[in-house]
Amino acid sequence: SQANEALCKKDGGVCSCNNNKNSVDCSYKKLTAIPSNIPADTKKLVLGYNKLSKLSPKAFHHLSKLTYLSLDYNKLQALSAGVFDQLVELDRLELGRNQLKSLPPKIFDKLTKLTLLYLQINQLQSVPRGTFDSLSSLNILYLNNNPWDCSCRDILYLRNWIREKQGNVSNIEAAECAVGNKAVLEITEKDAASDCVSPNTTTAIPIGTMTPASVIYDDIHE
C-alpha cells in the first residue's frame, strides 16, 4: 500500500515537499489513497488531479495546522461526516471537479477561518440546512455547474443563504438550477414546492430508466 512508503521525492517518495514552507504537493500522481505519513506541521497540502474516490473519516485529523487543502479533480462521490473537523486553521478548501452527490450535515462547521471554498462542477442537488452557517470568514464560494434541484423544498436554505450573503461572498449568485437555467437565488416557494425524499433523489430521472420488474405499474400512476 501507499501508506508506509516514503512521502517525499528526496526519500524516494512521489510527493514534492518544501520543508521551509511546510508544503506537500502530491498532485498528478494517480493516487487512490492519501499518504498516511504527511507531517503534522504541514500547512499546504495539494492532492488535486488524482484518483481519490473516498477519504477515510480521519484522513486529516493529525493535520490541524493546514491552511490550504486541495482535493480538486478527483473522483470523490461522498465525504465522511467530520472529515474536516480538525482543520480549524484552514483558509482555502478546493473540492471542485469531483463527483460529490451530497454533503453530510455540519461538514464545514469547524472551518471558521475559511475564506475560499470551491464546490463547483460536482453533482450536488442541494445542501443540508445550515451547511454554510459557520463559515464566518468566507469571501469566495464557487457553486456553479452543479445540478441544483430547484423543485425541492431542500433548496430554499441555499437560496436564502445566497440572498443574505450576496455582496459579501463572491460568486455565489452563479449557482443555477439544473432545469430551466434559473438562478438559485431567484427561485420561489412555488418553484420549490416538492417534499423530496432525500438529497440523493432527483426528479429528473425518467420513469422508463427506473422500471425493474419489482416496480408495479399502478404505483407509478397512483
Side-chain angles (χ1 to χ4, degrees):
S1 87
Q2 293 158 325
N4 300 317
E5 293 172 9
L7 177 74
C8 303
K9 281 182 180 167
K10 62 177 171 42
D11 305 318
V14 296
C15 303
S16 302
C17 305
N18 184 327
N19 295 359
N20 299 336
K21 295 185 176 171
N22 298 102
S23 109
V24 176
D25 183 348
C26 304
S27 56
Y28 295 98
K29 297 295 182 271
K30 299 181 179 167
L31 297 179
T32 55
I34 295 174
S36 64
N37 43 2
I38 295 165
D41 59 356
T42 302
K43 290 184 176 174
K44 178 175 182 174
L45 178 57
V46 182
L47 291 161
Y49 296 87
N50 279 300
K51 296 187 173 183
L52 301 172
S53 58
K54 58 182 188 289
L55 305 173
S56 100
K58 295 188 173 174
F60 308 113
H61 277 204
H62 66 299
L63 298 174
S64 59
K65 294 189 168 64
L66 276 187
T67 59
Y68 180 115
L69 175 58
S70 159
L71 289 158
D72 55 331
Y73 287 90
N74 274 289
K75 298 179 184 297
L76 298 174
Q77 296 183 11
L79 297 170
S80 303
V83 68
F84 303 131
D85 280 5
Q86 310 302 318
L87 306 184
V88 294
E89 299 296 326
L90 204 63
D91 173 67
R92 178 178 180 135
L93 176 58
E94 299 186 12
L95 290 164
R97 291 187 184 268
N98 276 284
Q99 298 162 16
L100 295 172
K101 294 182 171 63
S102 62
L103 297 174
K106 305 182 184 298
I107 186 68
F108 304 129
D109 275 19
K110 302 289 193 284
L111 308 184
T112 54
K113 293 189 177 180
L114 201 70
T115 65
L116 281 90
L117 175 57
Y118 294 75
L119 287 169
Q120 79 281 11
I121 316 180
N122 276 287
Q123 300 296 320
L124 298 171
Q125 295 175 329
S126 68
V127 295
R129 180 177 296 275
T131 294
F132 302 127
D133 289 2
S134 298
L135 299 176
S136 49
S137 305
L138 200 64
N139 294 327
I140 301 173
L141 170 58
Y142 291 95
L143 295 166
N144 51 289
N145 297 83
N146 279 286
W148 300 110
D149 189 341
C150 297
S151 65
C152 294
R153 202 167 283 139
D154 288 353
I155 200 74
L156 294 175
Y157 162 72
L158 182 60
R159 180 205 69 176
N160 294 342
W161 187 87
I162 291 173
R163 286 181 178 179
E164 184 189 329
K165 299 296 181 183
Q166 213 184 353
N168 295 324
V169 181
S170 300
N171 226 71
I172 48 177
E173 57 281 346
E176 280 189 358
C177 305
V179 177
N181 288 1
K182 199 172 192 177
V184 171
L185 73 92
E186 291 172 358
I187 57 177
T188 63
E189 272 79 1
K190 190 175 173 186
D191 293 330
S194 300
D195 269 326
C196 299
V197 186
S198 83
N200 295 335
T201 26
T202 171
T203 50
I205 297 177
I207 291 295
T209 62
M210 308 173 54
T211 40
S214 58
V215 174
I216 298 165
Y217 183 75
D218 292 345
D219 283 355
I220 299 169
H221 298 280
E222 50 188 348

